[in-house]
Each structure stands twice: as C-alpha cells, then as structure tokens.
Amino acid sequence: MKRFLLFAVVAVFISPAFAGAGESGTEILKNRCASCHDLKGPAPQTIRQLWKRDAPDLFYAGNKFRREWLVAWLQKPVRIRPAGVNYLRNINSTPPENQKTKSGRKFDVLYGKVLKPLKHATLNKAEAMAVTDALMELKPHYDLVANVKLDTTKKVTLDQGEVLIDKVYGCQSCHQIEPGYGGYTGAELYTAGRRLQPEYMLSYIKRPRSWDPKIWMPNGHVKPADLQKIVNYLILLSKEDFDASN
Ligand code: HEC
Ligand code: HEC
C-alpha cells in the first residue's frame, strides 16, 4: 500500500500539469492561459459573445505581435487597454467639457478613478521564450496580411502624425497616444509600434472587422497614403520613452 502511494505521488508530479520547467510552450498555453484566452478562434460573431470575452484573443498571435515585445511583456506585463477588455463597463463616452484633444475633439473617459495596475500571469525568461515560439506559430489570418506591406517612404513627423490621428480621423477619441492622453476605449497606441507587426496594423486599421467582426472600432475609410503615414507614425511614436508602469 505504502509503495502504491509513493508511486501515485510521483506520478502526479511528473504529469505534464506539474512538470514546471519541463512544460513546453504549448503546454503552458493550455494549462495556464487557455482559461482566459481563446487560442482556437474564431473571434466573437455576435455582440453577446463579444461582451463575454474577458481577455484578448490570442489565436492569431503569430499574425499580430512582434516577437521581441511578446518575450519582454510576458515577463513584465503592463496594462494595454486603459479601461480593460470590457471597456463599456468602465467608460463614459459623453465626457465632461475639459476632456478634449488639441483639435477640440472630445474623448471618452473612465467612470470614477483609473483602473488598478494590471494583474497578469508572469513567466520567467525560458517560459516566455517557449510560449512566444508557440504563439508565433498561430497564423490563421495569413490571408489578411499576405498582400500588405509597409511603405517606409511615407514618413511623417510626430506632429504630422498627431494631426492625422486626432483631427483628420478622430482615432484619439478612443485611443491614447501618451499615457492618459486620449480616449479609453481601445488599446493604447503609444507602444503599438513595438507591440504589433506593421502589416497587422495596416490591415486592422483599414478594416477592423475583418479581424474582429463585432469590434466597436469603425472603418474610418482611411486613404491608402494616410494609412501608411499613420503606421509609420505609430512606429516612430513607440520609440519615445514612455513610462511603461501604468
Ligand atoms: C485570468 C485571466 C488571464 C490569464 C490566466 C492569462 N491572461 Fe493574458 N491577458 C488577460 C487580460 C485581461 C489581458 C488584457 C490586458 C490589457 O489589455 O491591459 C491579457 C493580455 C495578454 C496579452 C496581450 C494581448 C493583446 O492582444 O494585447 C498576451 C500576449 C497574453 N495576455 C498572454 C497570456 C499568456 C501567455 C498567459 C498564460 C501564461 C496568459 N495571458 C494568461 C487575462 C489573462
Ligand atoms: C470608436 C472607438 C475607436 C475609434 C474611433 C478608433 N478605434 Fe482603433 N480600436 C478600437 C477598439 C475597441 C479596438 C480593439 C481593442 C482590443 O483589441 O481590445 C481598436 C483596435 C485598434 C488597433 C489594434 C490594437 C491592438 O492592440 O490590437 C489599432 C492599431 C487601432 N485600433 C488604430 C486606430 C486608428 C489608427 C484609428 C483612427 C483611424 C482608430 N483606431 C479609431 C476603438 C476605436
């Protein structure tokens, strides 16, 4: 009996869920991440499904993220969506007078005070690299980026980019371009250039709903040349030294 018990205890510890450092990237995703994140797709097809989503979809991570960013963020996660994934629970889209961009557009604000710092699973370096390898394999949306290319000749200054994002297309009513400056609906855009592949940004900004059919971001009918300028701007902006501790 004693011998059987010992065997049972050893068997539990060497099973994949308890393998600790021995877990592969795919196993970590299954064991520690899949309870919150969708790793299989498709994206929510109805509004009801959308509001049940409490964590961003990761099933097209390989089409979306920059590898270096993933490795670093998984070891030190910080908030990306200033009002959380379910932003409608936390924002007020008819804000008081003083919440305005330079051009006078209003942006949505948080109800009450700013959300607490993000609490998220943290991985060590080896785990972060293994998980990143596994995530970068997930590329079901290759079709959406296959013919998309960044035109690096369409350069803009930070000021010119801000005019596009604020005045021309109104992106800033939903997105921040500095910590605390801009709306609270979408993901912050001041680290987007470090976080996201240029082809993903070009494709997503052009037709957000081809990635996420029920997402609130409208198709802004951005002109092709402006689309290139906006993405070049976001890459330039992400080189600024922002405090990433929000
Ligand atoms: C308790 C739920 C939960 C678990 C478990 C969890 N996450 Fe998350 N994760 C979140 C939430 C919520 C966010 C959104 C954070 C934000 O936008 O500020 C997030 C964001 C992310 C992002 C950025 C996604 C994007 O589109 O911006 C990545 C990558 C990620 N998680 C990977 C992982 C990995 C890998 C694991 C497992 C080791 C994991 N998460 C476990 C809830 C979770
Ligand atoms: C009505 C609000 C709204 C407006 C206006 C808007 N967006 Fe968005 N945007 C969103 C939401 C919501 C998301 C999805 C965030 C998420 O994945 O949780 C998003 C996602 C994005 C993403 C992908 C971010 C990521 O981490 O996956 C980019 C890039 C982006 N928006 C850029 C823009 C640009 C550029 C404009 C202007 C042309 C714009 N947005 C206008 C709400 C908006």
PDB file of all heavy atoms in Angstrom, residues 28-29 32-37 54-58 64-65 69-70 73-74 78-82 84-85 118 120-121 123 131 135 195, ligand 1:
ATOM      1  N   ILE A  28       2.168  25.155 -21.608  1.00  0.00           N
ATOM      2  CA  ILE A  28       1.926  26.323 -20.737  1.00  0.00           C
ATOM      3  C   ILE A  28       0.660  27.038 -21.199  1.00  0.00           C
ATOM      4  O   ILE A  28      -0.208  27.384 -20.395  1.00  0.00           O
ATOM      5  CB  ILE A  28       3.136  27.296 -20.741  1.00  0.00           C
ATOM      6  CG1 ILE A  28       4.358  26.612 -20.136  1.00  0.00           C
ATOM      7  CG2 ILE A  28       2.803  28.581 -19.961  1.00  0.00           C
ATOM      8  CD1 ILE A  28       5.628  27.455 -20.155  1.00  0.00           C
ATOM      9  N   LEU A  29       0.539  27.234 -22.516  1.00  0.00           N
ATOM     10  CA  LEU A  29      -0.652  27.925 -23.038  1.00  0.00           C
ATOM     11  C   LEU A  29      -1.917  27.186 -22.638  1.00  0.00           C
ATOM     12  O   LEU A  29      -2.896  27.796 -22.195  1.00  0.00           O
ATOM     13  CB  LEU A  29      -0.573  28.035 -24.572  1.00  0.00           C
ATOM     14  CG  LEU A  29       0.375  29.087 -25.130  1.00  0.00           C
ATOM     15  CD1 LEU A  29       0.471  28.971 -26.644  1.00  0.00           C
ATOM     16  CD2 LEU A  29      -0.084  30.499 -24.758  1.00  0.00           C
ATOM     17  N   ARG A  32      -2.090  27.208 -18.472  1.00  0.00           N
ATOM     18  CA  ARG A  32      -2.127  28.433 -17.664  1.00  0.00           C
ATOM     19  C   ARG A  32      -2.793  29.617 -18.363  1.00  0.00           C
ATOM     20  O   ARG A  32      -2.958  30.673 -17.756  1.00  0.00           O
ATOM     21  CB  ARG A  32      -0.696  28.854 -17.299  1.00  0.00           C
ATOM     22  CG  ARG A  32       0.063  27.782 -16.544  1.00  0.00           C
ATOM     23  CD  ARG A  32       1.315  28.409 -15.963  1.00  0.00           C
ATOM     24  NE  ARG A  32       2.494  27.599 -16.159  1.00  0.00           N
ATOM     25  CZ  ARG A  32       3.734  28.059 -16.040  1.00  0.00           C
ATOM     26  NH1 ARG A  32       3.932  29.337 -15.772  1.00  0.00           N
ATOM     27  NH2 ARG A  32       4.765  27.261 -16.203  1.00  0.00           N
ATOM     28  N   CYS A  33      -3.102  29.499 -19.634  1.00  0.00           N
ATOM     29  CA  CYS A  33      -3.581  30.679 -20.367  1.00  0.00           C
ATOM     30  C   CYS A  33      -4.967  30.472 -20.988  1.00  0.00           C
ATOM     31  O   CYS A  33      -5.743  31.413 -21.106  1.00  0.00           O
ATOM     32  CB  CYS A  33      -2.595  31.061 -21.468  1.00  0.00           C
ATOM     33  SG  CYS A  33      -0.862  30.903 -20.987  1.00  0.00           S
ATOM     34  N   ALA A  34      -5.263  29.244 -21.374  1.00  0.00           N
ATOM     35  CA  ALA A  34      -6.492  28.975 -22.145  1.00  0.00           C
ATOM     36  C   ALA A  34      -7.767  29.215 -21.337  1.00  0.00           C
ATOM     37  O   ALA A  34      -8.838  29.382 -21.918  1.00  0.00           O
ATOM     38  CB  ALA A  34      -6.470  27.551 -22.679  1.00  0.00           C
ATOM     39  N   SER A  35      -7.670  29.272 -19.997  1.00  0.00           N
ATOM     40  CA  SER A  35      -8.882  29.533 -19.213  1.00  0.00           C
ATOM     41  C   SER A  35      -9.398  30.944 -19.488  1.00  0.00           C
ATOM     42  O   SER A  35     -10.587  31.206 -19.343  1.00  0.00           O
ATOM     43  CB  SER A  35      -8.595  29.354 -17.726  1.00  0.00           C
ATOM     44  OG  SER A  35      -7.552  30.216 -17.339  1.00  0.00           O
ATOM     45  N   CYS A  36      -8.532  31.858 -19.861  1.00  0.00           N
ATOM     46  CA  CYS A  36      -8.969  33.231 -20.176  1.00  0.00           C
ATOM     47  C   CYS A  36      -8.913  33.539 -21.665  1.00  0.00           C
ATOM     48  O   CYS A  36      -9.766  34.251 -22.187  1.00  0.00           O
ATOM     49  CB  CYS A  36      -8.094  34.241 -19.454  1.00  0.00           C
ATOM     50  SG  CYS A  36      -8.256  34.224 -17.674  1.00  0.00           S
ATOM     51  N   HIS A  37      -7.850  33.087 -22.338  1.00  0.00           N
ATOM     52  CA  HIS A  37      -7.625  33.490 -23.739  1.00  0.00           C
ATOM     53  C   HIS A  37      -8.123  32.442 -24.729  1.00  0.00           C
ATOM     54  O   HIS A  37      -7.891  31.254 -24.519  1.00  0.00           O
ATOM     55  CB  HIS A  37      -6.127  33.685 -23.992  1.00  0.00           C
ATOM     56  CG  HIS A  37      -5.529  34.868 -23.298  1.00  0.00           C
ATOM     57  ND1 HIS A  37      -5.725  36.159 -23.729  1.00  0.00           N
ATOM     58  CD2 HIS A  37      -4.727  34.947 -22.206  1.00  0.00           C
ATOM     59  CE1 HIS A  37      -5.058  36.990 -22.931  1.00  0.00           C
ATOM     60  NE2 HIS A  37      -4.448  36.290 -21.989  1.00  0.00           N
ATOM     61  N   ASP A  54     -13.338  38.200 -21.886  1.00  0.00           N
ATOM     62  CA  ASP A  54     -12.672  38.948 -20.810  1.00  0.00           C
ATOM     63  C   ASP A  54     -11.179  39.103 -21.032  1.00  0.00           C
ATOM     64  O   ASP A  54     -10.496  39.748 -20.245  1.00  0.00           O
ATOM     65  CB  ASP A  54     -12.909  38.256 -19.461  1.00  0.00           C
ATOM     66  CG  ASP A  54     -14.331  38.524 -18.965  1.00  0.00           C
ATOM     67  OD1 ASP A  54     -14.805  39.662 -19.136  1.00  0.00           O
ATOM     68  OD2 ASP A  54     -14.961  37.596 -18.438  1.00  0.00           O
ATOM     69  N   ALA A  55     -10.657  38.463 -22.061  1.00  0.00           N
ATOM     70  CA  ALA A  55      -9.222  38.576 -22.367  1.00  0.00           C
ATOM     71  C   ALA A  55      -9.077  38.596 -23.885  1.00  0.00           C
ATOM     72  O   ALA A  55      -9.889  38.003 -24.594  1.00  0.00           O
ATOM     73  CB  ALA A  55      -8.465  37.398 -21.768  1.00  0.00           C
ATOM     74  N   PRO A  56      -8.049  39.285 -24.394  1.00  0.00           N
ATOM     75  CA  PRO A  56      -7.908  39.380 -25.855  1.00  0.00           C
ATOM     76  C   PRO A  56      -7.716  37.999 -26.491  1.00  0.00           C
ATOM     77  O   PRO A  56      -7.135  37.111 -25.878  1.00  0.00           O
ATOM     78  CB  PRO A  56      -6.631  40.219 -26.031  1.00  0.00           C
ATOM     79  CG  PRO A  56      -6.333  40.825 -24.707  1.00  0.00           C
ATOM     80  CD  PRO A  56      -6.980  39.978 -23.669  1.00  0.00           C
ATOM     81  N   ASP A  57      -8.208  37.862 -27.721  1.00  0.00           N
ATOM     82  CA  ASP A  57      -7.987  36.618 -28.462  1.00  0.00           C
ATOM     83  C   ASP A  57      -6.506  36.463 -28.790  1.00  0.00           C
ATOM     84  O   ASP A  57      -5.847  37.427 -29.183  1.00  0.00           O
ATOM     85  CB  ASP A  57      -8.776  36.640 -29.784  1.00  0.00           C
ATOM     86  CG  ASP A  57     -10.278  36.540 -29.545  1.00  0.00           C
ATOM     87  OD1 ASP A  57     -10.676  36.096 -28.448  1.00  0.00           O
ATOM     88  OD2 ASP A  57     -11.042  36.909 -30.458  1.00  0.00           O
ATOM     89  N   LEU A  58      -6.006  35.246 -28.639  1.00  0.00           N
ATOM     90  CA  LEU A  58      -4.593  35.002 -28.980  1.00  0.00           C
ATOM     91  C   LEU A  58      -4.458  34.030 -30.143  1.00  0.00           C
ATOM     92  O   LEU A  58      -3.346  33.651 -30.505  1.00  0.00           O
ATOM     93  CB  LEU A  58      -3.837  34.438 -27.760  1.00  0.00           C
ATOM     94  CG  LEU A  58      -3.630  35.398 -26.582  1.00  0.00           C
ATOM     95  CD1 LEU A  58      -2.830  34.708 -25.479  1.00  0.00           C
ATOM     96  CD2 LEU A  58      -2.920  36.685 -27.007  1.00  0.00           C
ATOM     97  N   LYS A  64      -0.021  38.892 -35.433  1.00  0.00           N
ATOM     98  CA  LYS A  64      -0.280  40.172 -34.781  1.00  0.00           C
ATOM     99  C   LYS A  64       0.943  40.770 -34.082  1.00  0.00           C
ATOM    100  O   LYS A  64       1.257  41.943 -34.259  1.00  0.00           O
ATOM    101  CB  LYS A  64      -1.411  39.956 -33.767  1.00  0.00           C
ATOM    102  CG  LYS A  64      -1.672  41.122 -32.847  1.00  0.00           C
ATOM    103  CD  LYS A  64      -2.964  40.960 -32.047  1.00  0.00           C
ATOM    104  CE  LYS A  64      -3.158  42.120 -31.098  1.00  0.00           C
ATOM    105  NZ  LYS A  64      -4.437  42.118 -30.403  1.00  0.00           N
ATOM    106  N   PHE A  65       1.594  39.981 -33.247  1.00  0.00           N
ATOM    107  CA  PHE A  65       2.606  40.544 -32.349  1.00  0.00           C
ATOM    108  C   PHE A  65       4.014  40.504 -32.912  1.00  0.00           C
ATOM    109  O   PHE A  65       4.365  39.653 -33.711  1.00  0.00           O
ATOM    110  CB  PHE A  65       2.611  39.785 -31.015  1.00  0.00           C
ATOM    111  CG  PHE A  65       1.338  39.909 -30.258  1.00  0.00           C
ATOM    112  CD1 PHE A  65       0.463  38.846 -30.169  1.00  0.00           C
ATOM    113  CD2 PHE A  65       0.991  41.110 -29.655  1.00  0.00           C
ATOM    114  CE1 PHE A  65      -0.734  38.965 -29.479  1.00  0.00           C
ATOM    115  CE2 PHE A  65      -0.212  41.236 -28.966  1.00  0.00           C
ATOM    116  CZ  PHE A  65      -1.069  40.158 -28.879  1.00  0.00           C
ATOM    117  N   TRP A  69       8.637  41.916 -28.450  1.00  0.00           N
ATOM    118  CA  TRP A  69       7.700  42.507 -27.497  1.00  0.00           C
ATOM    119  C   TRP A  69       7.054  41.429 -26.635  1.00  0.00           C
ATOM    120  O   TRP A  69       6.951  41.581 -25.415  1.00  0.00           O
ATOM    121  CB  TRP A  69       6.626  43.334 -28.230  1.00  0.00           C
ATOM    122  CG  TRP A  69       5.624  43.912 -27.265  1.00  0.00           C
ATOM    123  CD1 TRP A  69       5.735  45.091 -26.585  1.00  0.00           C
ATOM    124  CD2 TRP A  69       4.404  43.301 -26.816  1.00  0.00           C
ATOM    125  NE1 TRP A  69       4.646  45.250 -25.747  1.00  0.00           N
ATOM    126  CE2 TRP A  69       3.822  44.168 -25.868  1.00  0.00           C
ATOM    127  CE3 TRP A  69       3.749  42.108 -27.131  1.00  0.00           C
ATOM    128  CZ2 TRP A  69       2.614  43.886 -25.232  1.00  0.00           C
ATOM    129  CZ3 TRP A  69       2.544  41.823 -26.490  1.00  0.00           C
ATOM    130  CH2 TRP A  69       1.992  42.700 -25.555  1.00  0.00           C
ATOM    131  N   LEU A  70       6.636  40.331 -27.280  1.00  0.00           N
ATOM    132  CA  LEU A  70       5.981  39.245 -26.528  1.00  0.00           C
ATOM    133  C   LEU A  70       6.901  38.688 -25.450  1.00  0.00           C
ATOM    134  O   LEU A  70       6.500  38.539 -24.298  1.00  0.00           O
ATOM    135  CB  LEU A  70       5.607  38.092 -27.476  1.00  0.00           C
ATOM    136  CG  LEU A  70       4.209  38.072 -28.086  1.00  0.00           C
ATOM    137  CD1 LEU A  70       4.074  36.863 -29.007  1.00  0.00           C
ATOM    138  CD2 LEU A  70       3.119  38.040 -27.026  1.00  0.00           C
ATOM    139  N   TRP A  73       7.114  41.364 -22.675  1.00  0.00           N
ATOM    140  CA  TRP A  73       5.863  41.653 -21.966  1.00  0.00           C
ATOM    141  C   TRP A  73       5.436  40.486 -21.084  1.00  0.00           C
ATOM    142  O   TRP A  73       4.932  40.692 -19.971  1.00  0.00           O
ATOM    143  CB  TRP A  73       4.750  41.992 -22.974  1.00  0.00           C
ATOM    144  CG  TRP A  73       3.482  42.511 -22.354  1.00  0.00           C
ATOM    145  CD1 TRP A  73       3.196  43.805 -22.034  1.00  0.00           C
ATOM    146  CD2 TRP A  73       2.324  41.735 -21.969  1.00  0.00           C
ATOM    147  NE1 TRP A  73       1.930  43.879 -21.476  1.00  0.00           N
ATOM    148  CE2 TRP A  73       1.374  42.642 -21.428  1.00  0.00           C
ATOM    149  CE3 TRP A  73       1.997  40.378 -22.046  1.00  0.00           C
ATOM    150  CZ2 TRP A  73       0.125  42.228 -20.959  1.00  0.00           C
ATOM    151  CZ3 TRP A  73       0.751  39.968 -21.568  1.00  0.00           C
ATOM    152  CH2 TRP A  73      -0.175  40.890 -21.035  1.00  0.00           C
ATOM    153  N   LEU A  74       5.635  39.262 -21.573  1.00  0.00           N
ATOM    154  CA  LEU A  74       5.213  38.091 -20.780  1.00  0.00           C
ATOM    155  C   LEU A  74       6.002  37.975 -19.475  1.00  0.00           C
ATOM    156  O   LEU A  74       5.540  37.367 -18.518  1.00  0.00           O
ATOM    157  CB  LEU A  74       5.358  36.803 -21.606  1.00  0.00           C
ATOM    158  CG  LEU A  74       4.363  36.663 -22.771  1.00  0.00           C
ATOM    159  CD1 LEU A  74       4.714  35.485 -23.671  1.00  0.00           C
ATOM    160  CD2 LEU A  74       2.923  36.542 -22.259  1.00  0.00           C
ATOM    161  N   VAL A  78       2.216  44.780 -18.466  1.00  0.00           N
ATOM    162  CA  VAL A  78       1.613  46.055 -18.036  1.00  0.00           C
ATOM    163  C   VAL A  78       0.318  46.242 -18.819  1.00  0.00           C
ATOM    164  O   VAL A  78       0.108  45.610 -19.855  1.00  0.00           O
ATOM    165  CB  VAL A  78       2.530  47.274 -18.295  1.00  0.00           C
ATOM    166  CG1 VAL A  78       3.718  47.280 -17.353  1.00  0.00           C
ATOM    167  CG2 VAL A  78       2.997  47.311 -19.740  1.00  0.00           C
ATOM    168  N   ARG A  79      -0.520  47.126 -18.332  1.00  0.00           N
ATOM    169  CA  ARG A  79      -1.822  47.351 -18.952  1.00  0.00           C
ATOM    170  C   ARG A  79      -1.681  47.888 -20.379  1.00  0.00           C
ATOM    171  O   ARG A  79      -0.850  48.743 -20.647  1.00  0.00           O
ATOM    172  CB  ARG A  79      -2.615  48.335 -18.079  1.00  0.00           C
ATOM    173  CG  ARG A  79      -4.076  48.385 -18.374  1.00  0.00           C
ATOM    174  CD  ARG A  79      -4.803  49.260 -17.352  1.00  0.00           C
ATOM    175  NE  ARG A  79      -5.173  48.521 -16.162  1.00  0.00           N
ATOM    176  CZ  ARG A  79      -6.142  47.602 -16.122  1.00  0.00           C
ATOM    177  NH1 ARG A  79      -6.816  47.299 -17.202  1.00  0.00           N
ATOM    178  NH2 ARG A  79      -6.437  46.988 -15.005  1.00  0.00           N
ATOM    179  N   ILE A  80      -2.516  47.361 -21.271  1.00  0.00           N
ATOM    180  CA  ILE A  80      -2.538  47.792 -22.677  1.00  0.00           C
ATOM    181  C   ILE A  80      -3.857  48.508 -22.980  1.00  0.00           C
ATOM    182  O   ILE A  80      -3.886  49.496 -23.694  1.00  0.00           O
ATOM    183  CB  ILE A  80      -2.404  46.575 -23.617  1.00  0.00           C
ATOM    184  CG1 ILE A  80      -1.079  45.855 -23.370  1.00  0.00           C
ATOM    185  CG2 ILE A  80      -2.495  47.010 -25.081  1.00  0.00           C
ATOM    186  CD1 ILE A  80      -1.033  44.450 -23.950  1.00  0.00           C
ATOM    187  N   ARG A  81      -4.928  47.990 -22.405  1.00  0.00           N
ATOM    188  CA  ARG A  81      -6.259  48.590 -22.595  1.00  0.00           C
ATOM    189  C   ARG A  81      -6.602  49.373 -21.321  1.00  0.00           C
ATOM    190  O   ARG A  81      -6.911  48.763 -20.291  1.00  0.00           O
ATOM    191  CB  ARG A  81      -7.287  47.500 -22.871  1.00  0.00           C
ATOM    192  CG  ARG A  81      -7.037  46.829 -24.217  1.00  0.00           C
ATOM    193  CD  ARG A  81      -7.708  45.499 -24.343  1.00  0.00           C
ATOM    194  NE  ARG A  81      -7.328  44.847 -25.588  1.00  0.00           N
ATOM    195  CZ  ARG A  81      -6.148  44.238 -25.796  1.00  0.00           C
ATOM    196  NH1 ARG A  81      -5.250  44.190 -24.846  1.00  0.00           N
ATOM    197  NH2 ARG A  81      -5.866  43.696 -26.963  1.00  0.00           N
ATOM    198  N   PRO A  82      -6.547  50.711 -21.409  1.00  0.00           N
ATOM    199  CA  PRO A  82      -6.654  51.514 -20.182  1.00  0.00           C
ATOM    200  C   PRO A  82      -7.979  51.342 -19.446  1.00  0.00           C
ATOM    201  O   PRO A  82      -8.045  51.597 -18.248  1.00  0.00           O
ATOM    202  CB  PRO A  82      -6.455  52.948 -20.667  1.00  0.00           C
ATOM    203  CG  PRO A  82      -6.679  52.918 -22.129  1.00  0.00           C
ATOM    204  CD  PRO A  82      -6.345  51.537 -22.601  1.00  0.00           C
ATOM    205  N   GLY A  84      -9.673  48.344 -19.635  1.00  0.00           N
ATOM    206  CA  GLY A  84      -9.914  46.905 -19.600  1.00  0.00           C
ATOM    207  C   GLY A  84     -10.451  46.383 -20.921  1.00  0.00           C
ATOM    208  O   GLY A  84     -10.727  47.161 -21.845  1.00  0.00           O
ATOM    209  N   VAL A  85     -10.590  45.064 -21.008  1.00  0.00           N
ATOM    210  CA  VAL A  85     -11.061  44.441 -22.244  1.00  0.00           C
ATOM    211  C   VAL A  85     -12.538  44.746 -22.460  1.00  0.00           C
ATOM    212  O   VAL A  85     -12.974  45.085 -23.559  1.00  0.00           O
ATOM    213  CB  VAL A  85     -10.806  42.916 -22.205  1.00  0.00           C
ATOM    214  CG1 VAL A  85     -11.408  42.219 -23.412  1.00  0.00           C
ATOM    215  CG2 VAL A  85      -9.304  42.643 -22.124  1.00  0.00           C
ATOM    216  N   LEU A 118      -2.371  46.357 -13.980  1.00  0.00           N
ATOM    217  CA  LEU A 118      -2.785  45.036 -14.467  1.00  0.00           C
ATOM    218  C   LEU A 118      -2.191  43.921 -13.608  1.00  0.00           C
ATOM    219  O   LEU A 118      -1.004  43.924 -13.315  1.00  0.00           O
ATOM    220  CB  LEU A 118      -2.297  44.866 -15.915  1.00  0.00           C
ATOM    221  CG  LEU A 118      -2.634  43.533 -16.586  1.00  0.00           C
ATOM    222  CD1 LEU A 118      -4.113  43.455 -16.923  1.00  0.00           C
ATOM    223  CD2 LEU A 118      -1.803  43.358 -17.845  1.00  0.00           C
ATOM    224  N   HIS A 120      -1.470  40.128 -13.986  1.00  0.00           N
ATOM    225  CA  HIS A 120      -1.434  39.141 -15.067  1.00  0.00           C
ATOM    226  C   HIS A 120      -0.392  38.087 -14.768  1.00  0.00           C
ATOM    227  O   HIS A 120       0.620  38.390 -14.130  1.00  0.00           O
ATOM    228  CB  HIS A 120      -1.111  39.849 -16.397  1.00  0.00           C
ATOM    229  CG  HIS A 120      -1.320  38.998 -17.601  1.00  0.00           C
ATOM    230  ND1 HIS A 120      -0.353  38.153 -18.087  1.00  0.00           N
ATOM    231  CD2 HIS A 120      -2.391  38.833 -18.398  1.00  0.00           C
ATOM    232  CE1 HIS A 120      -0.830  37.521 -19.138  1.00  0.00           C
ATOM    233  NE2 HIS A 120      -2.065  37.912 -19.359  1.00  0.00           N
ATOM    234  N   ALA A 121      -0.629  36.887 -15.247  1.00  0.00           N
ATOM    235  CA  ALA A 121       0.355  35.807 -15.124  1.00  0.00           C
ATOM    236  C   ALA A 121       1.715  36.300 -15.615  1.00  0.00           C
ATOM    237  O   ALA A 121       1.791  37.016 -16.610  1.00  0.00           O
ATOM    238  CB  ALA A 121      -0.099  34.622 -15.965  1.00  0.00           C
ATOM    239  N   LEU A 123       5.745  35.160 -16.583  1.00  0.00           N
ATOM    240  CA  LEU A 123       6.558  33.985 -16.924  1.00  0.00           C
ATOM    241  C   LEU A 123       8.039  34.299 -16.715  1.00  0.00           C
ATOM    242  O   LEU A 123       8.447  35.464 -16.792  1.00  0.00           O
ATOM    243  CB  LEU A 123       6.329  33.591 -18.388  1.00  0.00           C
ATOM    244  CG  LEU A 123       4.883  33.238 -18.785  1.00  0.00           C
ATOM    245  CD1 LEU A 123       4.805  32.891 -20.267  1.00  0.00           C
ATOM    246  CD2 LEU A 123       4.336  32.080 -17.954  1.00  0.00           C
ATOM    247  N   VAL A 131       6.767  30.076 -24.780  1.00  0.00           N
ATOM    248  CA  VAL A 131       5.386  30.465 -25.087  1.00  0.00           C
ATOM    249  C   VAL A 131       5.349  31.347 -26.342  1.00  0.00           C
ATOM    250  O   VAL A 131       4.474  31.206 -27.199  1.00  0.00           O
ATOM    251  CB  VAL A 131       4.747  31.196 -23.877  1.00  0.00           C
ATOM    252  CG1 VAL A 131       3.470  31.917 -24.262  1.00  0.00           C
ATOM    253  CG2 VAL A 131       4.469  30.199 -22.760  1.00  0.00           C
ATOM    254  N   LEU A 135       3.182  30.823 -29.601  1.00  0.00           N
ATOM    255  CA  LEU A 135       2.211  31.825 -30.065  1.00  0.00           C
ATOM    256  C   LEU A 135       2.498  32.269 -31.500  1.00  0.00           C
ATOM    257  O   LEU A 135       1.581  32.483 -32.291  1.00  0.00           O
ATOM    258  CB  LEU A 135       2.213  33.049 -29.133  1.00  0.00           C
ATOM    259  CG  LEU A 135       1.518  32.892 -27.781  1.00  0.00           C
ATOM    260  CD1 LEU A 135       1.748  34.126 -26.914  1.00  0.00           C
ATOM    261  CD2 LEU A 135       0.011  32.652 -27.958  1.00  0.00           C
ATOM    262  N   ARG A 195       4.705  46.756 -30.206  1.00  0.00           N
ATOM    263  CA  ARG A 195       3.917  45.577 -29.869  1.00  0.00           C
ATOM    264  C   ARG A 195       3.453  44.806 -31.103  1.00  0.00           C
ATOM    265  O   ARG A 195       3.408  43.592 -31.102  1.00  0.00           O
ATOM    266  CB  ARG A 195       2.691  46.074 -29.086  1.00  0.00           C
ATOM    267  CG  ARG A 195       1.819  45.015 -28.507  1.00  0.00           C
ATOM    268  CD  ARG A 195       0.856  45.618 -27.494  1.00  0.00           C
ATOM    269  NE  ARG A 195      -0.291  46.276 -28.087  1.00  0.00           N
ATOM    270  CZ  ARG A 195      -0.589  47.552 -27.972  1.00  0.00           C
ATOM    271  NH1 ARG A 195       0.180  48.366 -27.273  1.00  0.00           N
ATOM    272  NH2 ARG A 195      -1.652  48.061 -28.546  1.00  0.00           N
TER     273      ARG A 195
HETATM  274  C1  HEC B   1      -7.164  35.484 -15.515  1.00  0.00           C
HETATM  275  C2  HEC B   1      -7.214  35.637 -16.956  1.00  0.00           C
HETATM  276  C3  HEC B   1      -5.896  35.567 -17.733  1.00  0.00           C
HETATM  277  C4  HEC B   1      -4.975  34.542 -17.743  1.00  0.00           C
HETATM  278  C5  HEC B   1      -4.996  33.231 -16.976  1.00  0.00           C
HETATM  279  C6  HEC B   1      -3.949  34.949 -18.699  1.00  0.00           C
HETATM  280  N1  HEC B   1      -4.252  36.164 -19.244  1.00  0.00           N
HETATM  281 FE1  HEC B   1      -3.241  37.106 -20.712  1.00  0.00          FE
HETATM  282  N2  HEC B   1      -4.457  38.722 -20.572  1.00  0.00           N
HETATM  283  C7  HEC B   1      -5.571  38.796 -19.745  1.00  0.00           C
HETATM  284  C8  HEC B   1      -6.168  40.100 -19.886  1.00  0.00           C
HETATM  285  C9  HEC B   1      -7.413  40.610 -19.164  1.00  0.00           C
HETATM  286  C10 HEC B   1      -5.367  40.817 -20.826  1.00  0.00           C
HETATM  287  C11 HEC B   1      -5.569  42.251 -21.318  1.00  0.00           C
HETATM  288  C12 HEC B   1      -4.600  43.200 -20.646  1.00  0.00           C
HETATM  289  C13 HEC B   1      -4.708  44.629 -21.157  1.00  0.00           C
HETATM  290  O1  HEC B   1      -5.147  44.826 -22.282  1.00  0.00           O
HETATM  291  O2  HEC B   1      -4.343  45.563 -20.431  1.00  0.00           O
HETATM  292  C14 HEC B   1      -4.320  39.901 -21.241  1.00  0.00           C
HETATM  293  C15 HEC B   1      -3.375  40.213 -22.207  1.00  0.00           C
HETATM  294  C16 HEC B   1      -2.481  39.295 -22.738  1.00  0.00           C
HETATM  295  C17 HEC B   1      -1.633  39.547 -23.891  1.00  0.00           C
HETATM  296  C18 HEC B   1      -1.659  40.788 -24.756  1.00  0.00           C
HETATM  297  C19 HEC B   1      -2.770  40.561 -25.766  1.00  0.00           C
HETATM  298  C20 HEC B   1      -3.196  41.721 -26.612  1.00  0.00           C
HETATM  299  O3  HEC B   1      -3.902  41.482 -27.604  1.00  0.00           O
HETATM  300  O4  HEC B   1      -2.893  42.874 -26.300  1.00  0.00           O
HETATM  301  C21 HEC B   1      -0.886  38.415 -24.084  1.00  0.00           C
HETATM  302  C22 HEC B   1       0.146  38.177 -25.157  1.00  0.00           C
HETATM  303  C23 HEC B   1      -1.254  37.480 -23.043  1.00  0.00           C
HETATM  304  N3  HEC B   1      -2.223  38.042 -22.245  1.00  0.00           N
HETATM  305  C24 HEC B   1      -0.705  36.222 -22.888  1.00  0.00           C
HETATM  306  C25 HEC B   1      -1.025  35.349 -21.842  1.00  0.00           C
HETATM  307  C26 HEC B   1      -0.326  34.101 -21.597  1.00  0.00           C
HETATM  308  C27 HEC B   1       0.812  33.560 -22.445  1.00  0.00           C
HETATM  309  C28 HEC B   1      -0.914  33.531 -20.500  1.00  0.00           C
HETATM  310  C29 HEC B   1      -0.543  32.249 -19.809  1.00  0.00           C
HETATM  311  C30 HEC B   1       0.810  32.161 -19.301  1.00  0.00           C
HETATM  312  C31 HEC B   1      -1.987  34.430 -20.073  1.00  0.00           C
HETATM  313  N4  HEC B   1      -2.012  35.524 -20.902  1.00  0.00           N
HETATM  314  C32 HEC B   1      -2.847  34.175 -19.008  1.00  0.00           C
HETATM  315  C33 HEC B   1      -6.062  37.785 -18.942  1.00  0.00           C
HETATM  316  C34 HEC B   1      -5.423  36.586 -18.673  1.00  0.00           C
END
